[in-house]
Amino acid sequence: MFLRRKHTQKDDSEQRDAKVIELRTAIGPLSGRCSLFCTDACLMRYLEARNWNVDKARKMLEETLKWRSTYKPEEIRWHEVAHEGETGKVSRASFHDRQGRTVLILRPGMQNTTSAENNIRHLVYLLENAIINLSEGQEQMSWLIDFTGFSLNTSVPIRTARDIIYILQSHYPERLAIAFLYNPPRFFEAFYKAVRYFLDPKTAQKVKFVYPKNKDSVEMMQLYFDIENLPNEFGGNATLKYDHEEFSRLMAQDDVKTAKFWGSDEKPYQLGNGHSVAPEPAPISQQAG
């Protein structure tokens, strides 16, 4: 009589490692910033996003490498997008969640500009900044979205929301751990229903609505955040005060760190098939289409 060997976490780990090796072989040799970007952890995120299908993960990753070669998110500097951040509509928090992950705070009610392209560029800059500030071993970030002051006048158009979702899901897969939407107004539900159409099911599961008078949703949020660190806008005991000058100093320091990481003299992005990609930036709306 044969005994079936018990499935273990070690088996899962070995299978994942084998998939990473298979994907690395599939994309071929990398150089320059491509090799910096395509860490084993990065490859694992793309595999996870495509349910460990190597061919689908390869296609997704190659699309990202093409996008990064044209959009060049790692070359955006704070002084280029600082005007978008004057009200603090998106900022990196000074605290982490209970897992030690970087936290982005989004305040759509503080919208101060109308250019979709610049709004997206500002958000992409802060995504890259959040990633460069992740603790060792961390691959994901948490989002806190404060709806104070949010109205139809400050809401982004559906098309802009679609473009943002496209970039997040296509080029930053498995970067989002959780997103808490704190006390959104009732009319936002209609907006979210329209936007949710563009969310894949895995991303949609990470979006949590929290209402101050709903005990269950508040308790769920407190599983992720220490109430002493959490700003009172999110039901915590801390004070959230956005100082644009101070934040700008912090971002300028991080820009030095970013430039050092990526290397200013690195070669352009080059795919494993040996073809380099033209450096001309393409409009986001075309990429999303």
Side-chain angles (χ1 to χ4, degrees):
M1 181 177 180
F2 293 97
L3 294 175
R4 180 176 292 177
R5 188 166 69 91
K6 189 182 231 182
H7 188 81
T8 65
Q9 287 185 336
K10 183 180 179 182
D11 294 328
D12 288 336
S13 179
E14 289 175 351
Q15 289 174 11
R16 287 195 296 266
D17 290 345
K19 289 283 188 180
V20 169
I21 293 170
E22 189 179 345
L23 176 56
R24 191 170 291 285
T25 301
I27 59 177
L30 300 169
S31 61
R33 294 179 184 178
C34 273
S35 61
L36 285 174
F37 181 76
C38 293
T39 62
D40 284 355
C42 171
L43 268 55
M44 202 168 289
R45 286 188 295 103
Y46 279 79
L47 284 162
E48 179 74 32
R50 289 295 178 261
N51 295 314
W52 298 89
N53 182 304
V54 173
D55 188 53
K56 290 181 179 179
R58 176 189 59 78
K59 290 176 182 176
M60 185 186 194
L61 181 54
E62 287 181 349
E63 285 300 312
T64 292
L65 295 177
K66 289 177 184 176
W67 175 77
R68 292 186 72 88
S69 74
T70 55
Y71 198 73
K72 300 184 186 299
E74 76 283 0
E75 291 186 9
I76 304 172
R77 295 296 176 259
W78 177 248
H79 67 85
E80 300 170 30
V81 296
H83 64 284
E84 290 288 335
E86 287 177 355
T87 58
K89 62 187 176 188
V90 186
S91 62
R92 196 183 84 233
S94 59
F95 58 91
H96 295 80
D97 67 10
R98 291 188 185 274
Q99 300 297 320
R101 292 180 289 230
T102 301
V103 177
L104 279 187
I105 294 178
L106 292 83
R107 300 192 285 179
M110 306 296 283
Q111 181 59 258
N112 61 327
T113 60
T114 57
S115 167
E117 191 78 21
N118 290 340
N119 268 287
I120 294 172
R121 192 168 175 81
H122 176 238
L123 178 60
V124 166
Y125 170 86
L126 284 163
L127 286 172
E128 292 283 322
N129 179 266
I131 292 166
I132 206 83
N133 280 287
L134 285 171
S135 303
E136 187 174 352
Q138 292 285 7
E139 287 291 309
Q140 294 185 311
M141 66 188 80
S142 295
W143 284 17
L144 289 172
I145 305 175
D146 170 26
F147 282 88
T148 301
F150 181 75
S151 68
L152 290 173
N153 291 330
T154 60
S155 63
V156 298
I158 296 290
R159 182 172 181 174
T160 303
R162 182 203 66 179
D163 290 347
I164 289 171
I165 290 169
Y166 173 83
I167 289 174
L168 288 173
Q169 293 185 157
S170 301
H171 305 312
Y172 296 91
E174 297 301 314
R175 283 298 192 189
L176 181 65
I178 195 85
F180 285 108
L181 281 60
Y182 193 82
N183 203 26
R186 183 167 294 179
F187 71 82
F188 177 78
E189 292 178 10
F191 177 84
Y192 182 70
K193 282 180 182 177
V195 166
R196 184 169 177 151
Y197 174 80
F198 304 108
L199 291 176
D200 66 49
K202 288 181 72 173
T203 303
Q205 287 177 0
K206 297 175 182 179
V207 177
K208 308 294 182 184
F209 283 73
V210 179
Y211 299 94
K213 294 180 180 179
N214 185 305
K215 184 180 176 183
D216 290 340
S217 65
V218 170
E219 287 180 351
M220 177 181 62
M221 191 170 176
Q222 290 175 1
L223 288 174
Y224 285 84
F225 294 94
D226 185 338
I227 195 169
E228 296 303 318
N229 292 332
L230 205 58
N232 49 37
E233 286 86 348
F234 298 99
N237 296 332
T239 301
L240 173 63
K241 183 182 178 183
Y242 178 75
D243 184 324
H244 187 60
E245 287 189 13
E246 179 59 34
F247 192 74
S248 293
R249 281 193 289 270
L250 181 63
M251 294 300 99
Q253 292 171 6
D254 281 355
D255 282 350
V256 175
K257 182 164 61 175
T258 299
K260 184 177 180 181
F261 176 80
W262 290 108
S264 57
D265 58 346
E266 288 287 355
K267 296 177 183 178
Y269 280 86
Q270 191 145 356
L271 302 182
N273 58 15
H275 297 147
S276 57
V277 189
E280 292 293 327
I284 292 173
S285 58
Q286 290 181 15
Q287 296 164 14

